[in-house]
Amino acid sequence: MLLNDAPVTTMLPVKDLERARQFYEGKLGLKPEGLKPDGKFTYRCGGTTLALFPKDGGTKADHTTLSFQVQDIASAIAGLKRAGVVFEDYDYPDFKTVEHVCVLGSEKAAWFLDTEGNILCLHEDIPQN
């Protein structure tokens, strides 16, 4: 496959770049890579690149735009809550969070919003027997 080994950059639209940077650096602890000549701001994240780019109106996505794989979701939630991240809770017949976590087949997941309305997620793989 031609793109199998190509590095991936996730492009995330933001309404207010400075406000978004405060969230991603201050609350999520991402280390800034820097502002690019085209106006996007990048972070190296787990071997990939996250690029925030200014866009009037931000995003209209009603789905998860970015998911961080973690080893221990409960611990990650606790740490992010201490940093001021607010997690979403859901209570639907086939989709319910307990202590912010929903079990989805082979993974546990928890969702939160960034300052720009993007839906972000933590996920932990459940070991398969």
Side-chain angles (χ1 to χ4, degrees), residues 10-33:
T10 298
M11 304 291 290
L12 202 57
V14 298
K15 294 175 248 180
D16 182 327
L17 183 59
E18 287 308 310
R19 179 176 63 197
R21 284 191 57 201
Q22 289 174 11
F23 177 82
Y24 282 87
E25 294 168 30
K27 295 193 185 300
L28 302 189
L30 300 186
K31 302 291 184 241
E33 201 171 56

mmCIF file of all heavy atoms in Angstrom, residues 10-33:
data_model
loop_
_atom_site.group_PDB
_atom_site.id
_atom_site.type_symbol
_atom_site.label_atom_id
_atom_site.label_comp_id
_atom_site.label_asym_id
_atom_site.label_seq_id
_atom_site.Cartn_x
_atom_site.Cartn_y
_atom_site.Cartn_z
ATOM 1 N N THR A 10 -3.646 14.822 11.869
ATOM 2 C CA THR A 10 -5.059 15.083 12.095
ATOM 3 C C THR A 10 -5.266 16.585 12.057
ATOM 4 O O THR A 10 -4.599 17.329 12.774
ATOM 5 C CB THR A 10 -5.503 14.536 13.462
ATOM 6 O OG1 THR A 10 -5.315 13.123 13.468
ATOM 7 C CG2 THR A 10 -6.944 14.867 13.750
ATOM 8 N N MET A 11 -6.182 17.032 11.200
ATOM 9 C CA MET A 11 -6.483 18.452 11.042
ATOM 10 C C MET A 11 -7.765 18.750 11.815
ATOM 11 O O MET A 11 -8.811 18.169 11.538
ATOM 12 C CB MET A 11 -6.682 18.787 9.562
ATOM 13 C CG MET A 11 -5.509 18.402 8.679
ATOM 14 S SD MET A 11 -4.051 19.403 8.969
ATOM 15 C CE MET A 11 -4.598 20.959 8.305
ATOM 16 N N LEU A 12 -7.671 19.652 12.791
ATOM 17 C CA LEU A 12 -8.815 19.957 13.640
ATOM 18 C C LEU A 12 -9.135 21.445 13.555
ATOM 19 O O LEU A 12 -8.313 22.282 13.933
ATOM 20 C CB LEU A 12 -8.481 19.560 15.078
ATOM 21 C CG LEU A 12 -9.605 19.291 16.034
ATOM 22 C CD1 LEU A 12 -10.540 18.211 15.528
ATOM 23 C CD2 LEU A 12 -9.034 18.875 17.377
ATOM 24 N N PRO A 13 -10.325 21.806 13.055
ATOM 25 C CA PRO A 13 -10.677 23.217 12.946
ATOM 26 C C PRO A 13 -10.990 23.826 14.310
ATOM 27 O O PRO A 13 -11.583 23.167 15.162
ATOM 28 C CB PRO A 13 -11.921 23.201 12.059
ATOM 29 C CG PRO A 13 -12.528 21.862 12.272
ATOM 30 C CD PRO A 13 -11.386 20.930 12.558
ATOM 31 N N VAL A 14 -10.580 25.068 14.491
ATOM 32 C CA VAL A 14 -10.853 25.791 15.734
ATOM 33 C C VAL A 14 -11.313 27.207 15.411
ATOM 34 O O VAL A 14 -10.860 27.810 14.449
ATOM 35 C CB VAL A 14 -9.629 25.821 16.676
ATOM 36 C CG1 VAL A 14 -9.237 24.412 17.104
ATOM 37 C CG2 VAL A 14 -8.441 26.519 16.053
ATOM 38 N N LYS A 15 -12.222 27.726 16.230
ATOM 39 C CA LYS A 15 -12.717 29.097 16.055
ATOM 40 C C LYS A 15 -11.694 30.099 16.577
ATOM 41 O O LYS A 15 -11.504 31.151 15.999
ATOM 42 C CB LYS A 15 -14.039 29.283 16.798
ATOM 43 C CG LYS A 15 -15.176 28.466 16.233
ATOM 44 C CD LYS A 15 -16.410 28.612 17.092
ATOM 45 C CE LYS A 15 -16.642 27.275 17.750
ATOM 46 N NZ LYS A 15 -17.779 27.196 18.607
ATOM 47 N N ASP A 16 -11.084 29.780 17.710
ATOM 48 C CA ASP A 16 -10.167 30.694 18.390
ATOM 49 C C ASP A 16 -8.882 29.925 18.706
ATOM 50 O O ASP A 16 -8.840 29.127 19.650
ATOM 51 C CB ASP A 16 -10.831 31.217 19.659
ATOM 52 C CG ASP A 16 -9.987 32.224 20.417
ATOM 53 O OD1 ASP A 16 -8.745 32.115 20.412
ATOM 54 O OD2 ASP A 16 -10.577 33.129 21.033
ATOM 55 N N LEU A 17 -7.846 30.154 17.918
ATOM 56 C CA LEU A 17 -6.602 29.387 18.053
ATOM 57 C C LEU A 17 -5.965 29.559 19.424
ATOM 58 O O LEU A 17 -5.513 28.582 20.027
ATOM 59 C CB LEU A 17 -5.617 29.771 16.944
ATOM 60 C CG LEU A 17 -4.302 28.995 16.920
ATOM 61 C CD1 LEU A 17 -4.542 27.497 16.770
ATOM 62 C CD2 LEU A 17 -3.405 29.506 15.809
ATOM 63 N N GLU A 18 -5.929 30.772 19.956
ATOM 64 C CA GLU A 18 -5.295 30.980 21.264
ATOM 65 C C GLU A 18 -6.056 30.259 22.369
ATOM 66 O O GLU A 18 -5.457 29.637 23.241
ATOM 67 C CB GLU A 18 -5.173 32.474 21.565
ATOM 68 C CG GLU A 18 -4.097 33.165 20.746
ATOM 69 C CD GLU A 18 -2.739 32.460 20.828
ATOM 70 O OE1 GLU A 18 -2.264 32.161 21.944
ATOM 71 O OE2 GLU A 18 -2.149 32.203 19.764
ATOM 72 N N ARG A 19 -7.371 30.345 22.341
ATOM 73 C CA ARG A 19 -8.190 29.641 23.337
ATOM 74 C C ARG A 19 -7.979 28.132 23.216
ATOM 75 O O ARG A 19 -7.821 27.435 24.227
ATOM 76 C CB ARG A 19 -9.658 30.017 23.131
ATOM 77 C CG ARG A 19 -10.600 29.323 24.091
ATOM 78 C CD ARG A 19 -12.031 29.788 23.913
ATOM 79 N NE ARG A 19 -12.518 29.451 22.569
ATOM 80 C CZ ARG A 19 -13.587 29.997 22.017
ATOM 81 N NH1 ARG A 19 -14.290 30.907 22.674
ATOM 82 N NH2 ARG A 19 -13.986 29.630 20.805
ATOM 83 N N ALA A 20 -7.964 27.621 21.998
ATOM 84 C CA ALA A 20 -7.747 26.190 21.774
ATOM 85 C C ALA A 20 -6.363 25.769 22.278
ATOM 86 O O ALA A 20 -6.220 24.722 22.919
ATOM 87 C CB ALA A 20 -7.911 25.849 20.301
ATOM 88 N N ARG A 21 -5.353 26.581 21.987
ATOM 89 C CA ARG A 21 -3.999 26.255 22.459
ATOM 90 C C ARG A 21 -3.954 26.182 23.979
ATOM 91 O O ARG A 21 -3.290 25.297 24.537
ATOM 92 C CB ARG A 21 -2.995 27.301 21.963
ATOM 93 C CG ARG A 21 -2.639 27.142 20.505
ATOM 94 C CD ARG A 21 -1.472 28.009 20.144
ATOM 95 N NE ARG A 21 -0.336 27.685 20.999
ATOM 96 C CZ ARG A 21 0.695 28.514 21.209
ATOM 97 N NH1 ARG A 21 0.736 29.691 20.631
ATOM 98 N NH2 ARG A 21 1.686 28.141 21.997
ATOM 99 N N GLN A 22 -4.626 27.086 24.668
ATOM 100 C CA GLN A 22 -4.652 27.042 26.136
ATOM 101 C C GLN A 22 -5.236 25.721 26.628
ATOM 102 O O GLN A 22 -4.741 25.138 27.592
ATOM 103 C CB GLN A 22 -5.448 28.226 26.690
ATOM 104 C CG GLN A 22 -4.741 29.546 26.520
ATOM 105 C CD GLN A 22 -5.609 30.720 26.936
ATOM 106 O OE1 GLN A 22 -6.670 30.564 27.535
ATOM 107 N NE2 GLN A 22 -5.153 31.925 26.617
ATOM 108 N N PHE A 23 -6.268 25.233 25.951
ATOM 109 C CA PHE A 23 -6.884 23.968 26.327
ATOM 110 C C PHE A 23 -5.942 22.795 26.049
ATOM 111 O O PHE A 23 -5.681 21.968 26.922
ATOM 112 C CB PHE A 23 -8.198 23.778 25.556
ATOM 113 C CG PHE A 23 -8.875 22.469 25.833
ATOM 114 C CD1 PHE A 23 -9.660 22.303 26.960
ATOM 115 C CD2 PHE A 23 -8.722 21.398 24.963
ATOM 116 C CE1 PHE A 23 -10.285 21.086 27.221
ATOM 117 C CE2 PHE A 23 -9.349 20.181 25.203
ATOM 118 C CZ PHE A 23 -10.129 20.035 26.342
ATOM 119 N N TYR A 24 -5.427 22.713 24.826
ATOM 120 C CA TYR A 24 -4.607 21.569 24.440
ATOM 121 C C TYR A 24 -3.288 21.511 25.204
ATOM 122 O O TYR A 24 -2.802 20.428 25.536
ATOM 123 C CB TYR A 24 -4.382 21.543 22.926
ATOM 124 C CG TYR A 24 -5.594 21.026 22.197
ATOM 125 C CD1 TYR A 24 -6.623 21.879 21.825
ATOM 126 C CD2 TYR A 24 -5.741 19.667 21.936
ATOM 127 C CE1 TYR A 24 -7.763 21.390 21.200
ATOM 128 C CE2 TYR A 24 -6.880 19.177 21.308
ATOM 129 C CZ TYR A 24 -7.887 20.048 20.952
ATOM 130 O OH TYR A 24 -9.015 19.558 20.351
ATOM 131 N N GLU A 25 -2.719 22.654 25.501
ATOM 132 C CA GLU A 25 -1.465 22.682 26.254
ATOM 133 C C GLU A 25 -1.717 22.663 27.755
ATOM 134 O O GLU A 25 -1.100 21.891 28.483
ATOM 135 C CB GLU A 25 -0.653 23.917 25.856
ATOM 136 C CG GLU A 25 -0.187 23.862 24.420
ATOM 137 C CD GLU A 25 0.364 25.178 23.893
ATOM 138 O OE1 GLU A 25 0.928 25.966 24.689
ATOM 139 O OE2 GLU A 25 0.217 25.426 22.669
ATOM 140 N N GLY A 26 -2.627 23.505 28.236
ATOM 141 C CA GLY A 26 -2.854 23.648 29.670
ATOM 142 C C GLY A 26 -3.635 22.517 30.298
ATOM 143 O O GLY A 26 -3.329 22.097 31.412
ATOM 144 N N LYS A 27 -4.654 22.018 29.610
ATOM 145 C CA LYS A 27 -5.493 20.964 30.191
ATOM 146 C C LYS A 27 -5.101 19.560 29.734
ATOM 147 O O LYS A 27 -5.134 18.628 30.514
ATOM 148 C CB LYS A 27 -6.959 21.231 29.884
ATOM 149 C CG LYS A 27 -7.477 22.504 30.555
ATOM 150 C CD LYS A 27 -8.969 22.597 30.502
ATOM 151 C CE LYS A 27 -9.497 23.890 31.059
ATOM 152 N NZ LYS A 27 -9.193 24.164 32.423
ATOM 153 N N LEU A 28 -4.735 19.416 28.468
ATOM 154 C CA LEU A 28 -4.364 18.084 27.966
ATOM 155 C C LEU A 28 -2.870 17.814 28.074
ATOM 156 O O LEU A 28 -2.431 16.676 27.944
ATOM 157 C CB LEU A 28 -4.817 17.910 26.518
ATOM 158 C CG LEU A 28 -6.310 18.081 26.239
ATOM 159 C CD1 LEU A 28 -6.638 17.665 24.811
ATOM 160 C CD2 LEU A 28 -7.173 17.324 27.235
ATOM 161 N N GLY A 29 -2.074 18.855 28.271
ATOM 162 C CA GLY A 29 -0.639 18.680 28.463
ATOM 163 C C GLY A 29 0.150 18.418 27.197
ATOM 164 O O GLY A 29 1.277 17.919 27.264
ATOM 165 N N LEU A 30 -0.407 18.748 26.023
ATOM 166 C CA LEU A 30 0.335 18.529 24.777
ATOM 167 C C LEU A 30 1.469 19.539 24.658
ATOM 168 O O LEU A 30 1.330 20.704 25.034
ATOM 169 C CB LEU A 30 -0.586 18.638 23.568
ATOM 170 C CG LEU A 30 -1.756 17.649 23.515
ATOM 171 C CD1 LEU A 30 -2.489 17.786 22.181
ATOM 172 C CD2 LEU A 30 -1.313 16.218 23.735
ATOM 173 N N LYS A 31 2.580 19.077 24.129
ATOM 174 C CA LYS A 31 3.754 19.931 23.936
ATOM 175 C C LYS A 31 3.696 20.569 22.556
ATOM 176 O O LYS A 31 3.615 19.859 21.547
ATOM 177 C CB LYS A 31 5.051 19.124 24.068
ATOM 178 C CG LYS A 31 5.179 18.419 25.405
ATOM 179 C CD LYS A 31 5.377 19.397 26.535
ATOM 180 C CE LYS A 31 5.606 18.682 27.848
ATOM 181 N NZ LYS A 31 4.625 18.957 28.855
ATOM 182 N N PRO A 32 3.742 21.904 22.489
ATOM 183 C CA PRO A 32 3.634 22.578 21.194
ATOM 184 C C PRO A 32 4.839 22.331 20.303
ATOM 185 O O PRO A 32 5.972 22.299 20.762
ATOM 186 C CB PRO A 32 3.521 24.052 21.558
ATOM 187 C CG PRO A 32 4.057 24.164 22.935
ATOM 188 C CD PRO A 32 3.892 22.837 23.596
ATOM 189 N N GLU A 33 4.543 22.125 19.032
ATOM 190 C CA GLU A 33 5.585 22.037 18.019
ATOM 191 C C GLU A 33 5.791 23.417 17.397
ATOM 192 O O GLU A 33 6.896 23.835 17.164
ATOM 193 C CB GLU A 33 5.182 20.998 16.962
ATOM 194 C CG GLU A 33 6.342 20.461 16.177
ATOM 195 C CD GLU A 33 5.914 19.287 15.318
ATOM 196 O OE1 GLU A 33 4.970 19.414 14.502
ATOM 197 O OE2 GLU A 33 6.554 18.227 15.461
#
